[in-house]
Amino acid sequence: MFVESEPYIINIGPQHPSTHGGMHVEALMDGEEVVNVTIHLGYVHRSVEKIAESRTYTQFIPYAARLDYMSTNLPAWGYVEAVEKLSGLTVPERAQYIRVVMGELSRIASHMMFVGSLAIDLAATTGLLYCLRDRERIMDMLEMTSGQRLLSSYMRLGGVSHDLPEEFFPAVKSFLTDVPAMLDEYNGLITGNEILQARCNGIGVLTPETALAYGVTGPNLRASGISYDLRRADPYGIYDRFDFNIPVAQKGDCMARLMVRLEEIEQSARIIKQALEQMPEGEILGKVPKVLKPEKGREVYHRTESAKGELGYYLLADGTDKPARLHVRAPSFINLMVLPIISRGSKLQDIITNIATLDPVLGESDR
Amino acid sequence: MENLFINIARTLSDWLLQLGLSHFWTDLVLLVVQWTAIILIITLNVIILVWLERKISGFIQQRLGPNRLGPFGCFQTIADTLKLLTKEDIIPSQTDKLIFKTAPMFFIIVSVLLYAVIPMGKDMVVVDLNVGLFYFISVGSLTTIAILMAGWSSNNKWSLLGAMRSVAQMISYEIPLAFSLLGVVMIAGSLNLSAIVAAQSNIWFIVLQPVAFVTYFIAATAELNRGPFDMPEAEQELTAGAYTEYTGMRWALFFLAEYTNLVAVSALAATLFFGGWQGPLLPSWMWIIIKTYLIMLVFMWMKWTFPRIRMDHLMSLSWKVLVPVSLINILVTGVGIEIFKGMGW
Amino acid sequence: MTSIDTEAIIDQLFKAVGGRVRTFPDPYFLGLRVDPADLPDLLRYLHDQMGMNYLANLTAADLQAEFEASYHLYAIPDNGLKIVVKTRVPRDGAELPSVFAIYPTADWQEREVFDLMGIRFSDHPNLIRVLLPEEFEGHPLRKDFKKKGAI
């Protein structure tokens, strides 16, 4: 006698511990095997792009900072740079360096959250707490500079809101000295673990061809063997002044995505170190008109390397103090597109690993 | 101290006999008292264990753990229990209600039954079965049915997946578990747990059977559904697996039963591999408690360190590694026994 | 873009795609404007012949009179060329050819434009709303979108 089986649908989310926010992953399963995956988004849709049309350029900064709440300074930085490009504002040297320092700190925070959330998605609770412990120091530094821990609206058009306080420098220096020790600890507890390796090696392989075709960017692309980092490929800000490597892994599996991010933490630390050494004294806020009114018809597409990938802002001015159109090219949104492709044929538990290693932030992907 | 509990039991039975009860009724009353005591101990033990687990996980994860209620937060579990008792008992409308309600009770009853054969100290065993080990393994595997009942009756895909995983896992790990214990049985020459303890008066079986202990320990972790093998629950994938639909005290019964199982399995490990209640200076019942807790600490340490293994890896670990290893262990043990016999040991 | 000979590229483009492409000035990009019908041909040429294998951004703006869709193209690895392709469609029954077959990454981006701006993409394999619920009425990023309680 043969037992007949038929595929069934299992709904991961929208309320689920491992979807990193409100995301609904509809998995068509055959036993424990994944036949297909459909993603339903929009649970965190806050109509940010529509809101932007009724806010002035300055007023939108906090909204931008809340797109990718894991690395709050990076999306805000991308936005202010886009507006500066649109209206030809100049940014003082010191502010440029401060932006680099704060942006890279945010990147480290985001990557630490990635490592931690991957750990907890594989049920290694301790891994998460170790990462959060270290990330806490970055949160403290964000609080020193802006008074806000998670969502600091620190960037301003033409600069940053406050100068770095005195106590910031010893804090960041001691943090940078401890980064190798932290990575050592993660390597021992998380990456060195046999079970984690078994669950990540060869799982969710994203081939470079698929990655390119689907516009996957950021660490996910670099984990597939393509060295493409906007800080190098299309330098913005003052990134051409720093010496850093672009970590690349070849396999494109979950382990590669993890390793790339761990190495990026190290490289970000290097950039911060150089930025702190080169940082000049001076103004932190350039000359910005009270009311910013870019010419009608001017438009700009500005892209930056956020922690998740290419974060682009498309801005269209209509001569008023509000943009006629703002579009966010959200890396999380685009990167999620490959989840069905890399999940097909794997096991139920691999979907969770794949979501975790694609590292989507739903606030950014749904906008 | 050594004979504290035995003396209490003897006093009680003497007193009952004086009252004019027949031996049959005296034994029956004594049995009831013993079971009540065991259930009390189990409940108390779980309260301590939950607190301990939270404290230890806090220690491992560099946080404080419960620290508000009482010294070192030791009353936290009691408060949690009260909260669970007062919670609304939700039974989803599409469930198979009878099975849904009996599953947690079945689970806890099975777990408590395990304690019948464990020697808690010198001459301290509720029922001294001559097939004690066999009884333990067979009753222990019944817990699968409880989880399957819970998963099936919940009428929820997560629950069913969790339950099916649990069944697959338990069936696979039952085999290396039993095989690993056979080595011990062969050396001791008995299935009676008291006899096995007695056989270890010279040397602990962990020394003679290290491989068996490792296989037993891994298989037992899987049997207990504890991390890194907590497939049926797997909150990251299956929300709460077989227990997804349970609330309040019904859910707490599962929780209770899992910890009860944990104690039983650890106590069995102490009995089979670490000389049971034997030990110097301290009374025998103290020794088994100490040994059991030490083994449980290792279980907790593992749970809070490792990520969860994947389902298919779990199965292949059992069938491709543990089963062959335990079979080889039996062979080596048999050959070893014959050699020692030949040497006139 | 200093090292790239823009003129030569435009010449090459004109030769290949004919006079259907017009350029427009843009401070950062090489701006190309086409009619909707010629869009797939142009993008296919840019993708296959000029190595612009990365459609970074696909979006549309409401210019009151008509919609303008923008396609920001780059190459990976970077070849110094940045191209923006623009095309305009009238508001009524706005429809564009899908570029999903050339750039799979257009999948969700086109769905998003359809969802929020209401431009249909012909030949898109699965043109359904991506962010808003299925039963939502209207397209919020249109300038004439008015909904009580919205924003």
Side-chain angles (χ1 to χ4, degrees), chain A residues 9-11 16-18 32 120-123 125-126 129-130 133 193 195 198-199 203 349-350 352, chain B residues 60-63 157-158 161 165 228 231 235-239 304-313:
Chain A
I9 287 172
I10 198 156
N11 290 303
H16 190 276
S18 303
E32 287 258 354
I120 194 162
D121 281 344
L122 303 182
T125 338
T126 309
L129 280 139
Y130 273 57
R133 175 200 64 190
N193 188 296
I195 298 176
R199 285 198 61 180
I203 301 302
Q349 282 171 302
D350 295 335
I352 308 296
Chain B
I60 290 176
Q61 302 176 344
Q62 311 198 333
R63 51 191 178 84
K157 283 174 194 162
W158 297 120
L161 257 181
R165 279 181 174 189
M231 289 300 143
E235 74 267 20
Q236 277 81 12
E237 302 119 40
L238 303 183
T239 54
W304 294 106
T305 309
F306 289 134
R308 185 181 303 111
I309 198 164
R310 212 174 73 185
M311 192 61 203
D312 50 329
H313 295 164

Side-chain angles (χ1 to χ4, degrees), chain B residues 111 114-115 118 136 216 259-269 292:
Chain B
S111 313
L114 292 177
Y115 287 78
I118 295 172
F136 191 95
Y216 170 79
Y259 276 102
T260 314
N261 269 340
L262 172 65
V263 182
V265 167
S266 307
L268 188 72
T292 309

Side-chain angles (χ1 to χ4, degrees), chain B residues 133-144:
Chain B
L133 192 58
F134 183 68
Y135 167 90
F136 191 95
I137 292 170
S138 16
V139 172
S141 52
L142 283 179
T143 52
T144 322

Side-chain angles (χ1 to χ4, degrees), chain C residues 22-126:
Chain C
R22 298 170 300 283
T23 56
F24 68 92
D26 188 286
Y28 308 104
F29 287 90
L30 167 61
L32 302 173
R33 196 179 291 284
V34 285
D35 288 332
D38 302 326
L39 184 69
D41 286 348
L42 176 64
L43 290 188
R44 172 66 73 187
Y45 180 79
L46 290 174
H47 179 270
D48 292 352
Q49 307 298 324
M50 302 187 70
M52 306 305 284
N53 57 354
Y54 173 38
L55 173 64
N57 184 39
L58 191 171
T59 189
D62 185 355
L63 304 179
Q64 314 282 354
E66 50 195 348
F67 294 131
E68 185 180 73
S70 315
Y71 299 74
H72 294 90
L73 301 169
Y74 296 89
I76 295 177
D78 203 59
N79 63 3
L81 209 56
K82 304 171 175 182
I83 298 180
V84 56
V85 178
K86 283 181 176 287
T87 180
R88 292 191 180 187
V89 280
R91 290 183 76 94
D92 295 325
E95 184 153 355
L96 280 172
S98 169
V99 295
F100 173 70
I102 309 163
Y103 296 104
T105 178
D107 184 358
W108 283 13
Q109 306 197 44
E110 283 179 352
R111 276 173 69 187
E112 188 194 326
V113 171
F114 163 69
D115 188 356
L116 302 177
M117 194 64 85
I119 302 176
R120 296 201 64 84
F121 287 85
S122 49
D123 313 323
H124 189 283
N126 181 30

Side-chain angles (χ1 to χ4, degrees), chain A residues 321-337:
Chain A
D321 55 349
K322 296 169 185 134
R325 175 84 170 95
L326 179 141
H327 175 69
V328 187
R329 189 266 186 210
S332 302
F333 182 70
I334 312 262
N335 289 353
L336 262 180
M337 241 188 286

Side-chain angles (χ1 to χ4, degrees), chain A residues 2 14 26 71 89 91-92 116 192 204-205 265 288 311:
Chain A
F2 291 102
E26 189 186 311
S71 57
L89 299 175
V91 184
V205 176
I265 293 180
V288 183
L311 178 70

